[in-house]
Amino acid sequence: MTPAALTDSFGRGLRDLRVSVTDRCNFRCLYCLPETEEAANFYRTRFDAVKNPRPLNAPIPIAWKPRDELLTFEEIERVVRIAVEQGIDKVRLTGGEPLLRHGLPDLVARIAKIPGVRDLAMTTNGFFFAQNAEALRAAGLQRVSFSLDSLEAANFKKMTGRDGLREVLHGIERAQELGFAPVKVNAVVIRGTNDHEIERLVEFARTRDLSLRFIEFMPLDSGRTWLKELVMPGREILQRVQAQHALVPVKPASASETARRWTFADGRGELGIIAPVTEPFCGHCNRLRITADGQVRTCLFSLSEHDLKAQLRGGATDGELRARLHDIVRQKEDRHHIGEPGFRQPERTMSCIGG
Ligand code: SAM
Ligand code: SF4
């Protein structure tokens, strides 16, 4: 008998599993895992909203999960297989930086072989992509999304904490050479930091035939200094692009798509805007996440997690894991509450949850 599809209590069928393979990262993006107070409070001179007594150069401590707490490849493969038997057909590997996980192509190969995985993708900062590209492609990775917030070396360094623009651009080039399609580029837009680069990023995407996604800044940073004033609303980004280009809306492939999409009238490149803060799309959310240490999250903004690792390591049968996933999915939240009174940022940050 085919197991029933994972469906939440609001009738949303879950199809998309995001698997974080590590909480570690070689970058220190100021909107995700800032290195110092200064990096976290990058806007302090412009807004005096955060009163922080710590010195600007104080490092923000990071407590990486011990390696033996991370799910093994066998455990990840098992969870994915069980989820796929229940309707999941899209799998995205993420992190932290997934390419810091030793032997990642082996994991890709294991997941690619699971019958029913229709789409296997990865999100990466791209720094280590070029040297892994062929192995990942051969292992069965289909799509890759690169994070690229700036095309100016100095601003790239300010935003990511690392001097890595050249390596990331090289990674994008390799992905295209090897036939990953589409190659996506994600840019988190922060007002006053990289919004002046919107037009340049669009030109970059168009000349290289990339799918560009602008993403609103969400309150998931480890510095906990998110401010709504720093969010560049999707609508404003769209107006900026429309001031220069005739855009043609793209019909969503499914209601659960996070990005509103457009093509350019001359057919070069594709634009997507992901606006979870100002235009939430929770009503059609079909995503489920598992953290590197085996905690299932039903929403980016969940305030609690469901420990699957204990069950995986405690001898649970496939049937028990299946039942547990159903039980977890039934508890999926209807929506996030960003901007509402009483909103609480989750304990864990984007780098741990997996974007
Ligand atoms: N390290 C990889 C990377 O950067 O692509 C994968 C993990 S990263 C957490 C996944 C995505 O989350 C990236 O596209 C990143 O830009 C995005 N992200 C991280 N923190 C964010 C935040 N506070 N708001 C919006 N997007 C964020
Ligand atoms: Fe690392 Fe990605 Fe977070 Fe940047 S966004 S710090 S690359 S996990």
Side-chain angles (χ1 to χ4, degrees):
M1 196 178 77
T2 316
L6 291 169
T7 306
D8 73 10
S9 59
F10 303 97
R12 295 171 297 191
L14 301 204
R15 307 289 294 269
D16 184 337
L17 180 67
R18 312 266 164 130
V19 181
S20 172
V21 297
T22 179
D23 58 340
R24 285 156 212 260
C25 192
N26 55 321
F27 278 19
R28 292 289 177 276
C29 300
L30 40 76
Y31 52 77
C32 181
L33 200 58
E35 193 134 52
T36 60
E37 291 300 330
E38 184 178 22
N41 280 328
F42 52 95
Y43 52 84
R44 233 196 262 178
T45 50
R46 285 183 289 128
F47 302 94
D48 197 24
V50 179
K51 302 272 181 251
N52 195 329
R54 288 190 284 186
L56 283 178
N57 62 356
I60 297 179
I62 308 177
W64 305 124
K65 286 282 168 197
R67 286 184 205 279
D68 62 356
E69 285 192 26
L70 304 190
L71 293 190
T72 63
F73 286 175
E74 289 75 14
E75 288 167 337
I76 294 175
E77 181 187 356
R78 186 171 178 216
V79 173
V80 173
R81 178 175 52 75
I82 290 170
V84 168
E85 285 165 5
Q86 298 172 97
I88 293 287
D89 59 4
K90 285 176 77 169
V91 179
R92 175 172 294 275
L93 302 179
T94 179
E97 174 45 44
L99 289 168
L100 291 188
R101 183 77 189 246
H102 186 68
L104 192 70
D106 175 25
L107 177 64
V108 169
R110 286 165 179 265
I111 297 176
K113 285 193 195 102
I114 297 173
V117 174
R118 185 179 55 81
D119 184 32
L120 178 53
M122 177 178 74
T123 305
T124 174
N125 64 32
F127 190 86
F128 293 118
F129 184 79
Q131 59 265 51
N132 288 289
E134 276 181 49
L136 290 166
R137 188 78 180 133
L141 188 68
Q142 295 164 356
R143 295 191 300 122
V144 55
S145 301
F146 291 86
S147 295
L148 177 66
D149 308 313
S150 169
L151 290 164
E152 298 168 1
N155 206 28
F156 181 97
K157 182 163 185 224
K158 176 180 174 186
M159 292 199 72
T160 64
R162 298 290 180 266
D163 206 357
L165 179 59
R166 203 169 46 91
E167 287 80 357
V168 177
L169 294 179
H170 182 46
I172 293 172
E173 220 175 282
R174 275 307 279 150
Q176 290 192 297
E177 280 166 11
L178 288 171
F180 287 96
V183 175
K184 279 192 199 160
V185 168
N186 294 332
V188 177
V189 185
I190 300 189
R191 194 185 290 286
T193 299
N194 66 339
D195 56 315
H196 65 284
E197 296 198 54
I198 288 175
E199 289 80 5
R200 194 164 165 204
L201 283 161
V202 167
E203 281 323 303
F204 171 78
R206 281 167 52 71
T207 49
R208 306 197 182 206
D209 209 11
L210 295 160
S211 289
L212 175 65
R213 299 280 182 267
F214 288 119
I215 306 175
E216 287 180 349
F217 178 27
M218 292 182 273
L220 290 167
D221 56 316
S222 70
R224 295 178 181 274
T225 53
W226 179 88
L227 280 182
K228 68 175 186 328
E229 288 83 349
L230 299 173
V231 178
M232 183 89 175
R235 234 169 296 110
E236 209 178 318
I237 298 174
L238 180 62
Q239 282 164 4
R240 287 267 297 272
V241 182
Q242 278 175 326
Q244 298 203 323
H245 299 283
L247 296 178
V248 183
V250 176
K251 204 167 161 270
S254 81
S256 61
E257 266 189 30
T258 52
R260 279 194 297 141
R261 293 187 288 134
W262 295 264
T263 49
F264 295 84
D266 66 5
R268 286 162 58 218
E270 192 205 57
L271 171 73
I273 295 183
I274 304 180
V277 178
T278 64
E279 299 168 61
F281 35 77
C282 307
H284 296 287
C285 180
N286 69 351
R287 285 169 289 286
L288 191 65
R289 292 182 159 78
I290 182 153
T291 64
D293 59 335
Q295 308 297 306
V296 178
R297 295 182 63 93
T298 46
C299 173
L300 273 176
F301 296 93
S302 293
L303 293 173
S304 59
E305 300 182 335
H306 307 268
D307 185 2
L308 207 63
K309 183 179 65 191
Q311 238 176 323
L312 279 165
R313 295 191 178 172
T317 62
D318 283 4
E320 283 163 345
L321 290 170
R322 227 178 270 138
R324 181 77 194 288
L325 278 182
H326 275 282
D327 181 47
I328 293 170
V329 164
R330 273 193 293 273
Q331 298 173 56
K332 185 170 164 70
E333 301 77 346
D334 61 337
R335 62 191 178 90
H336 70 63
H337 296 273
I338 303 172
E340 297 174 20
F343 167 77
R344 270 170 53 210
Q345 180 170 337
E347 235 6 81
R348 295 229 264 185
T349 59
M350 192 63 136
S351 61
C352 297
I353 298 169

